[in-house]
Amino acid sequence: MTTRPVHTHHLPAGSASRGPYALDVDPTVAGWGYSSLRVLELPAGGALEWATGESEWIVLPLAGGCEVGSDDGQTRAEFTLHGRPGVFEAVTDFAYLPRDARAHLASPSGGRFALAGARCVRRLPARYGPADAVPVELRGRGTASRQVNNFAAAGVFECDRLIAVEVLTPGGNWSSYPPHKHDHHVPGEESELEEIYYFEVAPHRGASGDTPGVAYQRVSPSGHGRDTDVLAEVRQGDAVLIPDGWHGPSIAAPGHPLYYLNVMAGPGAEREWRIRDHPDHAWIRDDWRDQPLDERLPLYTAPDRQRPEETG
């Protein structure tokens, strides 16, 4: 199937589906150099095989568990991912698959799985990431409190270029705040990273049934790159592409907790996440120092781990 670049930064659910994937964004589609994200929905007994090509990949269960592995012609690796019921329920285990290999994934009970990828140079070995090793961070304060599952953050889990984390925001809170950017390389201060946001929004479960949720995402021009400008109403399964620009806030509607998966990669010689706060909004970090964390956090912790780290 021919790959065509998208002409919008907001991808409503289903608009970037391709082949077996409910969402399929690669550098050709996004018009950039490194970051990829696929979302695979499998029925019970479903399976998929694919070539990893020039990219390293992390298989992250969003709902359900699976068997996953890779074969590069010399080394075979097989992992059982226990997964989780859903993104609002638990931290999950995951698997790293190297470039230049054949990969496979099978789910006896079915489920939904994210494949986060990045074009890379080094070929690292396939590895299993246990759920109980994922650092859970509580970030921000007050109505900007949120939870970050740093499963593949720089300095946490080794990749060549890929950086990926999960963010959970209680209903009514602002996340990705203050607005920040990472689109211009400044040694020791700012990284150059392309980013994909993939969203899931918890429904309201009422007596008459579930009511779908909604959230909002803002990206504003920074003067670097494409001057990306987005104000999107996002729903379950949507994605937003961020090649450049100040991004944030991500706003969760009251009564609807918000989840997003961040997938990042870039050309820098060092794999690092360094951000610059928007100068008009950076003051909020000092203002919220004496505010309490949202008492609804953490939504959950990694198995067998103590209370998450708290950062301002």
Side-chain angles (χ1 to χ4, degrees):
M1 181 178 294
T2 301
T3 300
R4 296 182 178 179
V6 296
H7 299 290
T8 178
H9 295 97
H10 175 211
L11 305 177
S15 66
S17 62
R18 183 168 49 145
Y21 303 111
L23 172 70
D24 188 0
V25 174
D26 62 18
T28 302
V29 169
W32 56 34
Y34 299 94
S35 301
S36 296
L37 178 62
R38 298 168 176 170
V39 175
L40 177 67
E41 298 176 349
L42 288 180
L48 175 74
E49 293 188 2
W50 76 99
T52 61
E54 299 177 322
S55 294
E56 57 188 346
W57 296 90
I58 283 180
V59 177
L60 181 79
L62 300 172
C66 63
E67 306 291 330
V68 62
S70 66
D71 184 349
D72 64 11
Q74 297 180 347
T75 304
R76 296 188 62 178
E78 301 286 340
F79 308 105
T80 296
L81 301 186
H82 302 287
R84 53 187 167 184
V87 297
F88 297 102
E89 305 298 326
V91 176
T92 186
D93 51 358
F94 60 94
Y96 174 92
L97 306 179
R99 60 167 291 165
D100 300 321
R102 292 295 305 178
H104 57 270
L105 187 158
S107 181
S109 300
R112 188 168 61 259
F113 308 95
L115 281 60
R119 279 182 177 162
C120 64
V121 177
R122 291 189 299 152
R123 187 198 223 178
L124 301 176
R127 279 160 291 139
Y128 174 73
D132 62 8
V134 174
V136 176
E137 174 189 359
L138 302 183
R139 190 178 295 172
R141 292 290 189 275
T143 55
S145 302
R146 61 272 199 188
Q147 173 175 335
V148 184
N149 300 337
N150 288 304
F151 70 95
V156 171
F157 185 87
E158 186 183 12
C159 299
D160 186 37
R161 293 189 181 274
L162 178 63
I163 297 173
V165 303
E166 301 179 300
V167 182
L168 296 117
T169 308
N173 283 11
W174 283 30
S175 194
S176 282
Y177 200 77
H180 59 280
K181 74 180 187 76
H182 40 69
D183 59 13
H184 184 60
H185 177 62
V186 180
E189 296 183 20
E190 183 180 349
S191 309
E192 182 180 351
L193 296 167
E194 311 152 349
E195 186 163 17
I196 305 169
Y197 274 50
Y198 165 77
F199 298 91
E200 297 201 6
V201 186
H204 170 67
R205 305 194 183 281
S208 58
D210 291 353
T211 302
V214 64
Y216 295 88
Q217 176 67 44
R218 179 71 172 120
V219 185
S220 57
S222 66
H224 289 284
R226 310 179 189 179
D227 285 334
T228 300
D229 196 344
V230 179
L231 177 56
E233 182 176 284
V234 296
R235 299 177 183 272
Q236 177 78 12
D238 286 12
V240 170
L241 309 182
I242 305 176
D244 59 274
W246 304 104
H247 41 290
S250 304
I251 304 172
H256 295 282
L258 173 66
Y259 165 95
Y260 52 89
L261 170 62
N262 292 145
V263 178
M264 293 167 274
E270 299 294 328
R271 176 177 172 254
E272 56 184 358
W273 182 72
R274 293 186 181 276
I275 65 170
R276 187 185 300 270
D277 287 341
H278 194 298
D280 291 346
H281 305 285
W283 61 267
I284 193 66
R285 291 193 186 276
D286 291 327
D287 188 68
W288 70 31
R289 289 188 189 279
D290 296 328
Q291 297 183 34
L293 276 161
D294 190 310
E295 63 183 11
R296 293 171 290 180
L297 292 174
L299 296 184
Y300 51 73
T301 60
D304 302 321
R305 291 182 69 93
Q306 298 178 348
R307 182 171 177 84
E309 175 189 358
E310 298 180 10
T311 62

PDB file of all heavy atoms in Angstrom, residues 198-218:
ATOM      1  N   TYR A 198      -0.438  10.241  21.366  1.00  0.00           N
ATOM      2  CA  TYR A 198      -1.577   9.351  21.111  1.00  0.00           C
ATOM      3  C   TYR A 198      -2.482   9.391  22.340  1.00  0.00           C
ATOM      4  O   TYR A 198      -2.017   9.195  23.477  1.00  0.00           O
ATOM      5  CB  TYR A 198      -1.108   7.921  20.858  1.00  0.00           C
ATOM      6  CG  TYR A 198      -2.235   6.911  20.960  1.00  0.00           C
ATOM      7  CD1 TYR A 198      -3.159   6.770  19.927  1.00  0.00           C
ATOM      8  CD2 TYR A 198      -2.388   6.125  22.097  1.00  0.00           C
ATOM      9  CE1 TYR A 198      -4.205   5.861  20.035  1.00  0.00           C
ATOM     10  CE2 TYR A 198      -3.428   5.218  22.213  1.00  0.00           C
ATOM     11  CZ  TYR A 198      -4.330   5.089  21.185  1.00  0.00           C
ATOM     12  OH  TYR A 198      -5.374   4.203  21.300  1.00  0.00           O
ATOM     13  N   PHE A 199      -3.778   9.618  22.125  1.00  0.00           N
ATOM     14  CA  PHE A 199      -4.701   9.883  23.224  1.00  0.00           C
ATOM     15  C   PHE A 199      -5.708   8.751  23.457  1.00  0.00           C
ATOM     16  O   PHE A 199      -6.234   8.168  22.501  1.00  0.00           O
ATOM     17  CB  PHE A 199      -5.515  11.162  22.944  1.00  0.00           C
ATOM     18  CG  PHE A 199      -4.692  12.407  22.827  1.00  0.00           C
ATOM     19  CD1 PHE A 199      -4.199  12.819  21.599  1.00  0.00           C
ATOM     20  CD2 PHE A 199      -4.401  13.175  23.948  1.00  0.00           C
ATOM     21  CE1 PHE A 199      -3.439  13.973  21.479  1.00  0.00           C
ATOM     22  CE2 PHE A 199      -3.647  14.329  23.840  1.00  0.00           C
ATOM     23  CZ  PHE A 199      -3.159  14.725  22.606  1.00  0.00           C
ATOM     24  N   GLU A 200      -5.999   8.511  24.730  1.00  0.00           N
ATOM     25  CA  GLU A 200      -7.183   7.758  25.132  1.00  0.00           C
ATOM     26  C   GLU A 200      -7.876   8.566  26.219  1.00  0.00           C
ATOM     27  O   GLU A 200      -7.215   9.174  27.070  1.00  0.00           O
ATOM     28  CB  GLU A 200      -6.820   6.359  25.617  1.00  0.00           C
ATOM     29  CG  GLU A 200      -6.187   5.515  24.517  1.00  0.00           C
ATOM     30  CD  GLU A 200      -6.267   4.016  24.747  1.00  0.00           C
ATOM     31  OE1 GLU A 200      -6.932   3.587  25.727  1.00  0.00           O
ATOM     32  OE2 GLU A 200      -5.690   3.261  23.934  1.00  0.00           O
ATOM     33  N   VAL A 201      -9.201   8.595  26.166  1.00  0.00           N
ATOM     34  CA  VAL A 201      -9.997   9.413  27.088  1.00  0.00           C
ATOM     35  C   VAL A 201     -10.991   8.508  27.797  1.00  0.00           C
ATOM     36  O   VAL A 201     -11.764   7.793  27.150  1.00  0.00           O
ATOM     37  CB  VAL A 201     -10.740  10.541  26.340  1.00  0.00           C
ATOM     38  CG1 VAL A 201     -11.435  11.460  27.339  1.00  0.00           C
ATOM     39  CG2 VAL A 201      -9.780  11.336  25.462  1.00  0.00           C
ATOM     40  N   ALA A 202     -10.970   8.525  29.125  1.00  0.00           N
ATOM     41  CA  ALA A 202     -11.866   7.657  29.882  1.00  0.00           C
ATOM     42  C   ALA A 202     -13.312   8.130  29.737  1.00  0.00           C
ATOM     43  O   ALA A 202     -13.593   9.327  29.870  1.00  0.00           O
ATOM     44  CB  ALA A 202     -11.469   7.650  31.359  1.00  0.00           C
ATOM     45  N   PRO A 203     -14.233   7.219  29.487  1.00  0.00           N
ATOM     46  CA  PRO A 203     -15.645   7.608  29.420  1.00  0.00           C
ATOM     47  C   PRO A 203     -16.216   7.816  30.820  1.00  0.00           C
ATOM     48  O   PRO A 203     -15.650   7.356  31.812  1.00  0.00           O
ATOM     49  CB  PRO A 203     -16.301   6.397  28.744  1.00  0.00           C
ATOM     50  CG  PRO A 203     -15.452   5.241  29.185  1.00  0.00           C
ATOM     51  CD  PRO A 203     -14.040   5.766  29.253  1.00  0.00           C
ATOM     52  N   HIS A 204     -17.320   8.526  30.879  1.00  0.00           N
ATOM     53  CA  HIS A 204     -18.083   8.604  32.122  1.00  0.00           C
ATOM     54  C   HIS A 204     -19.028   7.409  32.161  1.00  0.00           C
ATOM     55  O   HIS A 204     -19.809   7.200  31.233  1.00  0.00           O
ATOM     56  CB  HIS A 204     -18.886   9.898  32.194  1.00  0.00           C
ATOM     57  CG  HIS A 204     -19.863   9.920  33.332  1.00  0.00           C
ATOM     58  ND1 HIS A 204     -19.462   9.949  34.645  1.00  0.00           N
ATOM     59  CD2 HIS A 204     -21.228   9.891  33.347  1.00  0.00           C
ATOM     60  CE1 HIS A 204     -20.531   9.950  35.426  1.00  0.00           C
ATOM     61  NE2 HIS A 204     -21.606   9.912  34.665  1.00  0.00           N
ATOM     62  N   ARG A 205     -18.946   6.632  33.229  1.00  0.00           N
ATOM     63  CA  ARG A 205     -19.770   5.427  33.339  1.00  0.00           C
ATOM     64  C   ARG A 205     -20.996   5.749  34.177  1.00  0.00           C
ATOM     65  O   ARG A 205     -20.930   5.795  35.397  1.00  0.00           O
ATOM     66  CB  ARG A 205     -18.965   4.285  33.928  1.00  0.00           C
ATOM     67  CG  ARG A 205     -17.677   4.013  33.129  1.00  0.00           C
ATOM     68  CD  ARG A 205     -17.041   2.695  33.486  1.00  0.00           C
ATOM     69  NE  ARG A 205     -15.791   2.494  32.763  1.00  0.00           N
ATOM     70  CZ  ARG A 205     -15.698   2.097  31.503  1.00  0.00           C
ATOM     71  NH1 ARG A 205     -16.811   1.866  30.815  1.00  0.00           N
ATOM     72  NH2 ARG A 205     -14.522   1.938  30.924  1.00  0.00           N
ATOM     73  N   GLY A 206     -22.119   6.000  33.499  1.00  0.00           N
ATOM     74  CA  GLY A 206     -23.356   6.365  34.165  1.00  0.00           C
ATOM     75  C   GLY A 206     -24.360   5.230  34.180  1.00  0.00           C
ATOM     76  O   GLY A 206     -24.146   4.164  33.580  1.00  0.00           O
ATOM     77  N   ALA A 207     -25.468   5.476  34.855  1.00  0.00           N
ATOM     78  CA  ALA A 207     -26.500   4.446  34.980  1.00  0.00           C
ATOM     79  C   ALA A 207     -27.087   4.053  33.632  1.00  0.00           C
ATOM     80  O   ALA A 207     -27.516   2.913  33.433  1.00  0.00           O
ATOM     81  CB  ALA A 207     -27.602   4.936  35.919  1.00  0.00           C
ATOM     82  N   SER A 208     -27.095   4.983  32.695  1.00  0.00           N
ATOM     83  CA  SER A 208     -27.687   4.706  31.380  1.00  0.00           C
ATOM     84  C   SER A 208     -26.645   4.307  30.339  1.00  0.00           C
ATOM     85  O   SER A 208     -26.956   4.203  29.157  1.00  0.00           O
ATOM     86  CB  SER A 208     -28.455   5.939  30.886  1.00  0.00           C
ATOM     87  OG  SER A 208     -27.598   7.065  30.809  1.00  0.00           O
ATOM     88  N   GLY A 209     -25.395   4.105  30.788  1.00  0.00           N
ATOM     89  CA  GLY A 209     -24.347   3.701  29.857  1.00  0.00           C
ATOM     90  C   GLY A 209     -23.159   4.640  29.891  1.00  0.00           C
ATOM     91  O   GLY A 209     -23.126   5.618  30.648  1.00  0.00           O
ATOM     92  N   ASP A 210     -22.169   4.358  29.066  1.00  0.00           N
ATOM     93  CA  ASP A 210     -20.954   5.148  29.014  1.00  0.00           C
ATOM     94  C   ASP A 210     -21.116   6.369  28.113  1.00  0.00           C
ATOM     95  O   ASP A 210     -21.703   6.281  27.032  1.00  0.00           O
ATOM     96  CB  ASP A 210     -19.794   4.304  28.481  1.00  0.00           C
ATOM     97  CG  ASP A 210     -19.370   3.221  29.458  1.00  0.00           C
ATOM     98  OD1 ASP A 210     -19.882   3.216  30.585  1.00  0.00           O
ATOM     99  OD2 ASP A 210     -18.530   2.390  29.080  1.00  0.00           O
ATOM    100  N   THR A 211     -20.578   7.504  28.574  1.00  0.00           N
ATOM    101  CA  THR A 211     -20.541   8.720  27.778  1.00  0.00           C
ATOM    102  C   THR A 211     -19.098   8.970  27.344  1.00  0.00           C
ATOM    103  O   THR A 211     -18.217   9.134  28.189  1.00  0.00           O
ATOM    104  CB  THR A 211     -21.035   9.931  28.585  1.00  0.00           C
ATOM    105  OG1 THR A 211     -22.355   9.684  29.055  1.00  0.00           O
ATOM    106  CG2 THR A 211     -21.023  11.189  27.725  1.00  0.00           C
ATOM    107  N   PRO A 212     -18.796   9.001  26.034  1.00  0.00           N
ATOM    108  CA  PRO A 212     -17.412   9.210  25.584  1.00  0.00           C
ATOM    109  C   PRO A 212     -16.860  10.534  26.082  1.00  0.00           C
ATOM    110  O   PRO A 212     -17.588  11.520  26.247  1.00  0.00           O
ATOM    111  CB  PRO A 212     -17.539   9.195  24.055  1.00  0.00           C
ATOM    112  CG  PRO A 212     -18.800   8.444  23.776  1.00  0.00           C
ATOM    113  CD  PRO A 212     -19.723   8.787  24.912  1.00  0.00           C
ATOM    114  N   GLY A 213     -15.545  10.553  26.289  1.00  0.00           N
ATOM    115  CA  GLY A 213     -14.889  11.752  26.789  1.00  0.00           C
ATOM    116  C   GLY A 213     -14.251  12.569  25.686  1.00  0.00           C
ATOM    117  O   GLY A 213     -14.139  12.143  24.534  1.00  0.00           O
ATOM    118  N   VAL A 214     -13.823  13.756  26.064  1.00  0.00           N
ATOM    119  CA  VAL A 214     -13.165  14.671  25.136  1.00  0.00           C
ATOM    120  C   VAL A 214     -12.057  15.401  25.884  1.00  0.00           C
ATOM    121  O   VAL A 214     -12.124  15.560  27.118  1.00  0.00           O
ATOM    122  CB  VAL A 214     -14.188  15.673  24.550  1.00  0.00           C
ATOM    123  CG1 VAL A 214     -14.771  16.564  25.651  1.00  0.00           C
ATOM    124  CG2 VAL A 214     -13.577  16.516  23.450  1.00  0.00           C
ATOM    125  N   ALA A 215     -11.029  15.810  25.157  1.00  0.00           N
ATOM    126  CA  ALA A 215      -9.932  16.582  25.732  1.00  0.00           C
ATOM    127  C   ALA A 215      -9.452  17.576  24.678  1.00  0.00           C
ATOM    128  O   ALA A 215      -9.948  17.581  23.544  1.00  0.00           O
ATOM    129  CB  ALA A 215      -8.806  15.660  26.179  1.00  0.00           C
ATOM    130  N   TYR A 216      -8.478  18.403  25.049  1.00  0.00           N
ATOM    131  CA  TYR A 216      -7.992  19.438  24.128  1.00  0.00           C
ATOM    132  C   TYR A 216      -6.468  19.481  24.146  1.00  0.00           C
ATOM    133  O   TYR A 216      -5.836  19.304  25.191  1.00  0.00           O
ATOM    134  CB  TYR A 216      -8.574  20.808  24.502  1.00  0.00           C
ATOM    135  CG  TYR A 216     -10.061  20.847  24.325  1.00  0.00           C
ATOM    136  CD1 TYR A 216     -10.914  20.451  25.358  1.00  0.00           C
ATOM    137  CD2 TYR A 216     -10.637  21.216  23.105  1.00  0.00           C
ATOM    138  CE1 TYR A 216     -12.289  20.441  25.182  1.00  0.00           C
ATOM    139  CE2 TYR A 216     -12.008  21.202  22.925  1.00  0.00           C
ATOM    140  CZ  TYR A 216     -12.830  20.806  23.968  1.00  0.00           C
ATOM    141  OH  TYR A 216     -14.186  20.783  23.787  1.00  0.00           O
ATOM    142  N   GLN A 217      -5.902  19.732  22.968  1.00  0.00           N
ATOM    143  CA  GLN A 217      -4.451  19.825  22.826  1.00  0.00           C
ATOM    144  C   GLN A 217      -4.084  21.094  22.077  1.00  0.00           C
ATOM    145  O   GLN A 217      -4.655  21.394  21.030  1.00  0.00           O
ATOM    146  CB  GLN A 217      -3.908  18.616  22.051  1.00  0.00           C
ATOM    147  CG  GLN A 217      -2.416  18.667  21.774  1.00  0.00           C
ATOM    148  CD  GLN A 217      -1.581  18.546  23.047  1.00  0.00           C
ATOM    149  OE1 GLN A 217      -1.872  17.702  23.895  1.00  0.00           O
ATOM    150  NE2 GLN A 217      -0.576  19.391  23.190  1.00  0.00           N
ATOM    151  N   ARG A 218      -3.107  21.827  22.610  1.00  0.00           N
ATOM    152  CA  ARG A 218      -2.638  23.064  21.988  1.00  0.00           C
ATOM    153  C   ARG A 218      -1.170  22.927  21.596  1.00  0.00           C
ATOM    154  O   ARG A 218      -0.355  22.395  22.367  1.00  0.00           O
ATOM    155  CB  ARG A 218      -2.794  24.234  22.967  1.00  0.00           C
ATOM    156  CG  ARG A 218      -2.315  25.576  22.419  1.00  0.00           C
ATOM    157  CD  ARG A 218      -3.237  26.102  21.348  1.00  0.00           C
ATOM    158  NE  ARG A 218      -2.889  27.475  20.957  1.00  0.00           N
ATOM    159  CZ  ARG A 218      -2.548  27.851  19.730  1.00  0.00           C
ATOM    160  NH1 ARG A 218      -2.494  26.966  18.745  1.00  0.00           N
ATOM    161  NH2 ARG A 218      -2.278  29.111  19.476  1.00  0.00           N
TER     162      ARG A 218
END
